[in-house]
Amino acid sequence: HTRTHTCSRAAPRLWVTPAQQRWASSLPMNTVVLFVPQQEAWVVERMGRFHRILEPGLNFLIPILDRVRYVQSLKEIVIDVPEQSAVSLDNVTLQIDGVLYLRILDPFKASYGVEEPEYAVTQLAQTTMRSELGKLTLDKVFRERESLNSNIVHSINQASDEWGIRCLRYEIKDIHVPPRVKESMQMQVEAERKKRATVLDSEGMREAAINVAEGQKRAQILASEGEKAEQINKAAGEAQAVLARAEAKAKAICMLSDALTQQNGDAAASLSVAEQYVSAFSKLAKESNTILLPSNTGDISGMITQVCTRVRIIICIPVQSRVTVYKIVLEFFKVAQGFRGGLK
């Protein structure tokens, strides 16, 4: 009984505080037959030296020679990292606390590699956190929390590998900044929001001006294209009208020439010229007070004879020797203009 009491006093204290859930069971006594719970590892020493690790289930030990020296939990363990102060790269003092998640992978190293695993891991997490925060500015601390957590886990695992402990995750719980820094951050956030609002307003005005200019440009282009098409269509219509009138006059002249070549054509032409002469003479002095008359105004037969003579000259020319029908039309117009000049 005395030996057992001495050995139990030599066992290290548990990893967690009494207020937290204990990682491991209390050290059991050697009752020859032992039942090890699931997800626990019992480290057995024989005559003061490491002997073996008991697996979950039924196990047998030799009284007096064997004793359970350490009980390690193989479950995932949660440790609250106390709040601590750290200085960022831009010399801002921060108060940060966190939560550490770890698991024992090698009960032998966890038992004999470090004296107090809880204290060692907590101190390592705090020092690593201060070291990593010193590499970042205040703005990056808030933006890069995930990378900060991963860097802390990587640094802890490098040091705790010899202890048989594996750090799974590290999460920052709260980040407290000084009141003045918090006020300046709020002012900065408000200024940034105002800046964004101003930029958005200016971009909106710019887009609106661009849209208006594009609309005016397209409207002018469409209007010019419409005017161009209208002018083209108008010119095409006028050209077709001119051609149609010319063709009609040409056909009329051909019909007139054919009619004059028939029997009594000269008499019919003389009658038509006489009618037009009388009609034109009756309209004199209606449009203007100034009248120019030929000397032989009363000689109607002489005027008719002159016009008919010129018409016969045109008609007597063979059709094959005429260059175009339009030259005949022009010659006829010259005859008519001479007739009108004679009237004036």
Side-chain angles (χ1 to χ4, degrees), residues 217-238:
K217 177 182 176 182
R218 294 184 62 183
Q220 292 178 357
I221 292 174
L222 292 177
S224 62
E225 291 180 354
E227 185 177 358
K228 176 182 176 182
E230 181 181 1
Q231 292 178 357
I232 292 174
N233 293 333
K234 185 177 180 180
E238 291 178 354

Side-chain angles (χ1 to χ4, degrees), residues 307-320:
V307 173
C308 291
T309 302
R310 294 189 179 183
V311 171
R312 288 192 192 96
I313 294 173
I314 299 172
I315 295 173
C316 291
I317 298 174
V319 178
Q320 292 79 5

Side-chain angles (χ1 to χ4, degrees), residues 28 33-44 50-61 68 70-72 74 105-108:
V33 178
L34 298 177
F35 296 95
V36 179
Q38 185 67 31
Q39 290 298 98
E40 284 191 4
W42 291 7
V43 180
V44 177
F50 172 74
H51 176 56
R52 65 189 180 109
I53 298 175
L54 300 182
E55 299 294 335
L58 177 62
N59 293 273
F60 298 95
L61 296 180
V68 179
Y70 300 99
V71 175
Q72 304 291 354
L74 303 181
L105 301 180
D106 191 342
F108 176 80

Side-chain angles (χ1 to χ4, degrees), residues 27-216:
L27 294 178
M29 296 180 60
N30 185 357
T31 57
V32 181
V33 178
L34 298 177
F35 296 95
V36 179
Q38 185 67 31
Q39 290 298 98
E40 284 191 4
W42 291 7
V43 180
V44 177
E45 292 182 352
R46 176 169 292 178
M47 293 183 295
R49 295 184 60 184
F50 172 74
H51 176 56
R52 65 189 180 109
I53 298 175
L54 300 182
E55 299 294 335
L58 177 62
N59 293 273
F60 298 95
L61 296 180
I62 299 175
I64 301 175
L65 299 179
D66 296 339
R67 67 188 179 98
V68 179
R69 187 69 171 82
Y70 300 99
V71 175
Q72 304 291 354
S73 176
L74 303 181
K75 300 177 182 179
E76 186 172 342
I77 303 165
V78 181
I79 299 177
D80 285 331
V81 179
E83 187 178 42
Q84 61 175 339
S85 62
V87 180
S88 62
L89 185 61
D90 49 356
N91 297 324
V92 178
T93 303
L94 305 175
Q95 298 292 331
I96 297 182
D97 57 355
V99 180
L100 185 64
Y101 299 86
L102 51 86
R103 176 176 292 170
I104 296 177
L105 301 180
D106 191 342
F108 176 80
K109 291 183 179 181
S111 301
Y112 298 100
V114 62
E115 181 65 24
E116 296 182 6
E118 175 194 1
Y119 179 76
V121 173
T122 302
Q123 293 299 315
L124 180 60
Q126 290 180 342
T127 55
T128 305
M129 184 190 300
R130 284 195 294 267
S131 175
E132 293 295 332
L133 286 176
K135 301 176 183 179
L136 301 176
T137 59
L138 180 61
D139 295 335
K140 290 185 178 180
V141 169
F142 291 98
R143 291 198 303 263
E144 301 181 3
R145 294 182 64 170
E146 294 183 0
S147 62
L148 179 61
N149 294 336
S150 62
N151 292 336
I152 293 175
V153 170
H154 179 70
S155 300
I156 292 175
N157 286 332
Q158 285 183 343
S160 63
D161 186 61
E162 298 296 330
W163 303 341
I165 300 173
R166 183 70 176 177
C167 181
L168 303 178
R169 294 182 305 279
Y170 181 85
E171 299 293 338
I172 296 177
K173 291 172 60 177
D174 296 317
I175 300 177
H176 303 283
V177 298
R180 292 184 179 180
V181 177
K182 185 180 293 185
E183 292 177 1
S184 64
M185 291 175 63
Q186 291 178 354
M187 295 175 62
Q188 182 180 359
V189 170
E190 292 178 359
E192 186 68 24
R193 290 179 179 175
K194 291 181 180 179
K195 176 184 175 182
R196 292 179 181 177
T198 305
V199 171
L200 291 177
D201 290 340
S202 63
E203 290 181 354
M205 295 176 62
R206 184 186 67 179
E207 293 293 334
I210 291 174
N211 292 335
V212 171
E214 288 290 339
Q216 294 178 354

